[in-house]
Amino acid sequence: MADVVIERVTKVYPGNVQAVKDVSLHIRDLELMVLVGPSGCGKSTMLRMVAGLEEITEGKISIGGRVVNDVPPKDRDIAMVFQNYALYPHMTVYNNMAFGLKLRHYPKAEIDQRVRDAARILSIEELLERKPKALSGGQRQRVAVGRAIVRKPKVFLFDEPLSNLDAKLRVEMRAELNKLHHRLQTTMIYVTHDQVEAMTLGNRIAVMKDGTLRQVAPPLEIYDRPANQFVAGFIGTPPMNVLKGTVVAQNGALCFDEGGSLLRLPERFTPALERRVGQKAVLGVRPEIVRPCAPGQPAAPQGTLRVTINVVEPLGDEMLLYLSTGGKQDLIAKVDSHQKAAVGQEIEIAVDVARSHVFDPDTGANLTVTPATAKA
């Protein structure tokens, strides 16, 4: 197997369009690294440079300790699974999977063994004599993965392989890819714009925006300790709420003034925020840490916000409440589906501020995580 080392890589297209800007990233041996970000952030370009399908403008890429900048794709010992499957329509599943091995003049018996082993791993043995037009989307995707498996490469590259599948099948295929990674014990780089895929598949996630890395960390660290406001808003469904306000001091404690109400901030925020009293700030609040207060319930020690319910969205076991605050700001609460709520109703909500974040309104940096955690 092999690690992949990306060192200060830049990609510039004609017209001085910078798709990737000075990116450095170490994908460890046997790791499943997910590159995630919005459309146009440079993640697919990054993957294609690793594959050798795009030339590097500056920097260096190594696979298994060998610099591959000038190595043709066929000699990099990688296998790529594309978004559109790229199957040959006139060939059977067996021949689609065997084609690359035939081009490399592998013995016929070895080709047969590899194809049938991959088909067994992917549970497509009964499909080997069919052609792609007779397969469902999920079956075609398995064949595309199988064609990569038979190569036994050092590194697998996946370019948004599930984006053409329906929601139910995508969930099933995510689980299958996870099993596949554990079974094959190989290095994988997976590109997606879907943050749910990133959270469920990756050993680590690299979040990209505008051609740069914004944070690299394990999924739960990305979620619980986002390095900046972009990462906080991109990772999570529904996205993190952001409230604009001011840091103020009151009764010996720091508070966040939302414009209509005060929320008392935890003491651990004091070292980072004591010099920002009187300055603008952004409070980041996940929907699941917003809790409606029951009538007659004692006031929350950190304070509450008076809100109006604008939309109620039932989701089965939970419900989303779309709210507006006294300071005329919008936020979402994720609550139990049995919570009584009606459009137009005014309620008090409490926020678990100990699990919130405070961001710099100018740079977007998270002021309340340690530098060691906020790796970018």
Side-chain angles (χ1 to χ4, degrees):
M1 298 306 104
D3 60 351
V4 178
V5 181
I6 298 165
E7 299 179 67
R8 307 203 66 176
V9 166
T10 293
K11 175 64 180 179
V12 181
Y13 288 108
N16 199 31
V17 177
Q18 281 195 308
V20 175
K21 307 172 187 176
D22 196 25
V23 167
S24 294
L25 181 63
H26 183 189
I27 295 100
R28 302 162 187 154
D29 186 25
L30 308 185
E31 181 174 37
L32 200 168
M33 170 68 77
V34 178
L35 305 182
V36 66
S39 298
C41 71
K43 57 189 185 296
S44 288
T45 301
M46 192 72 256
L47 193 76
R48 290 173 63 83
M49 286 192 287
V50 173
L53 302 177
E54 293 279 0
E55 291 186 2
I56 299 168
T57 304
E58 295 178 15
K60 182 170 66 175
I61 294 177
S62 302
I63 298 176
R66 178 177 68 144
V67 177
V68 296
N69 286 31
D70 300 317
V71 177
K74 66 183 180 63
D75 298 325
R76 294 193 179 197
D77 205 2
I78 57 95
M80 191 162 180
V81 179
F82 296 93
Q83 177 180 351
N84 61 358
Y85 319 137
L87 301 177
Y88 297 107
H90 63 287
M91 291 185 183
T92 63
V93 167
Y94 183 100
N95 287 328
N96 263 284
M97 293 171 65
F99 186 69
L101 300 180
K102 290 179 180 178
L103 287 180
R104 290 167 175 78
H105 306 294
Y106 278 79
K108 186 175 181 180
E110 183 177 353
I111 292 174
D112 186 71
Q113 184 67 47
R114 288 196 184 196
V115 170
R116 295 190 184 281
D117 285 347
R120 186 171 57 256
I121 290 171
L122 295 166
S123 300
I124 55 172
E125 294 166 284
E126 74 282 3
L127 306 179
L128 290 177
E129 299 309 315
R130 295 188 192 179
K131 291 184 177 179
K133 66 180 180 181
L135 305 179
S136 67
Q139 289 170 334
R140 292 179 192 180
Q141 188 60 73
R142 288 172 188 266
V143 175
V145 173
R147 185 174 53 189
I149 289 175
V150 299
R151 295 269 311 279
K152 296 185 179 179
K154 288 182 178 178
V155 180
F156 284 88
L157 308 178
F158 294 89
D159 190 7
E160 305 204 39
L162 308 185
S163 59
N164 290 336
L165 305 181
D166 62 55
K168 182 176 182 293
L169 195 52
R170 285 169 73 169
V171 172
E172 293 174 1
M173 284 301 297
R174 283 204 307 266
E176 291 300 319
L177 288 174
N178 237 325
K179 291 178 188 175
L180 187 64
H181 179 241
H182 287 292
R183 182 165 185 172
L184 297 180
Q185 288 293 292
T186 188
T187 308
M188 295 183 176
I189 307 175
Y190 188 102
V191 161
T192 181
H193 65 275
D194 186 330
Q195 50 92 16
V196 175
E197 281 182 26
M199 291 290 290
T200 54
L201 281 172
N203 301 130
R204 286 190 299 156
I205 299 173
V207 184
M208 295 188 69
K209 182 188 179 189
D210 298 332
T212 63
L213 285 179
R214 298 305 171 98
Q215 188 172 5
V216 182
L220 287 181
E221 185 172 328
I222 290 272
Y223 189 81
D224 291 333
R225 298 174 177 270
N228 49 68
Q229 191 175 331
F230 170 75
V231 173
F234 189 80
I235 299 294
T237 304
M240 179 181 283
N241 298 300
V242 290
L243 298 174
K244 297 178 180 179
T246 307
V247 177
V248 298
Q250 188 173 86
N251 300 326
L254 294 184
C255 299
F256 181 80
D257 184 352
E258 178 270 332
S261 304
L262 292 179
L263 292 175
R264 181 171 176 151
L265 298 172
E267 290 185 8
R268 66 182 178 85
F269 286 6
T270 299
L273 300 178
E274 58 187 350
R275 295 184 180 179
R276 291 180 173 262
V277 173
Q279 296 182 20
K280 299 293 183 183
V282 173
L283 185 69
V285 177
R286 294 278 183 204
E288 62 267 26
I289 68 171
V290 178
R291 176 176 53 82
C293 301
Q297 179 180 340
Q302 73 272 25
T304 61
L305 298 176
R306 186 76 175 171
V307 298
T308 302
I309 300 176
N310 299 320
V311 177
V312 177
E313 192 173 90
L315 298 175
D317 63 334
E318 60 190 16
M319 179 168 60
L320 299 182
L321 304 180
Y322 291 77
L323 314 168
S324 57
T325 72
K328 305 302 181 185
Q329 302 194 74
D330 296 329
L331 72 159
I332 301 172
K334 184 188 288 186
V335 302
D336 184 89
S337 61
H338 298 96
Q339 175 78 43
K340 291 183 179 179
V343 173
Q345 181 182 0
E346 288 192 1
I347 60 173
E348 296 281 337
I349 59 168
V351 175
D352 185 356
V353 289
R355 295 166 60 194
S356 65
H357 302 273
V358 179
F359 301 99
D360 186 304
D362 297 318
T363 66
N366 191 336
L367 303 173
T368 49
V369 297
T370 62
T373 302
K375 296 178 289 189

